[in-house]
């Protein structure tokens, strides 16, 4: 049996930064390390190349996305806006929610 404690992705951080911050960090890091689906070939082989840059190991498709996840609610709104589509029906709560999500505990 390994004598190390089960601390998940926060191993190395120890007791620093406080429980709330570490909890948030776990949420972000697990999402970040999870393989994501490629919008080009559909394979779940997308890994983060850099902050906001995502790359598919299957088809080498590189695209930009959120810093920690390839797709963000805010990004969806931005894409619609870029295409010139009306985005009134995109509920504004979703945007507000994603902006304040990290504040609620
Ligand atoms: Zn791909």
């Amino acid at each position: 049996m390994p004598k190390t404690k089960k601390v998940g992705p926060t191993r190395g951080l120890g007791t620093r930064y406080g429980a709330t911050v570490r909890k948030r960090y776990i949420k972000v890091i697990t999402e970040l390390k999870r393989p994501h689906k490629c919008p080009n070939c559909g394979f779940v082989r997308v890994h983060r190349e850099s902050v906001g840059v995502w790359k598919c190991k299957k088809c080498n498709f590189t695209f930009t996305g959120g810093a920690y996840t390839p797709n963000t609610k805010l990004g969806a709104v931005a894409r619609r806006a870029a295409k010139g589509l009306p985005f009134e029906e995109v509920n504004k709560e979703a945007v507000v929610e994603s902006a304040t999500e990290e504040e609620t505990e």
Side-chain angles (χ1 to χ4, degrees), residues 2 12 16 26 29 46 48 54-55 60 78 82 88-89 93 104:
R16 282 162 293 186
I26 289 168
I29 293 301
V46 173
R48 200 178 75 149
W54 299 81
K55 193 174 184 181
N60 280 330
E88 281 85 37
E89 78 267 29
E93 277 97 64
T104 52

Side-chain angles (χ1 to χ4, degrees), residues 38-53:
C38 173
N40 190 42
C41 68
F43 277 81
V44 186
R45 294 281 181 81
V46 173
H47 295 270
R48 200 178 75 149
E49 187 95 325
S50 181
V51 178
V53 181

Side-chain angles (χ1 to χ4, degrees), residues 32 46-55 61-72 79:
L32 168 64
V46 173
H47 295 270
R48 200 178 75 149
E49 187 95 325
S50 181
V51 178
V53 181
W54 299 81
K55 193 174 184 181
F61 181 65
T62 311
F63 61 100
T64 55
Y68 305 108
T69 55
N71 284 297
T72 59
R79 256 195 307 279

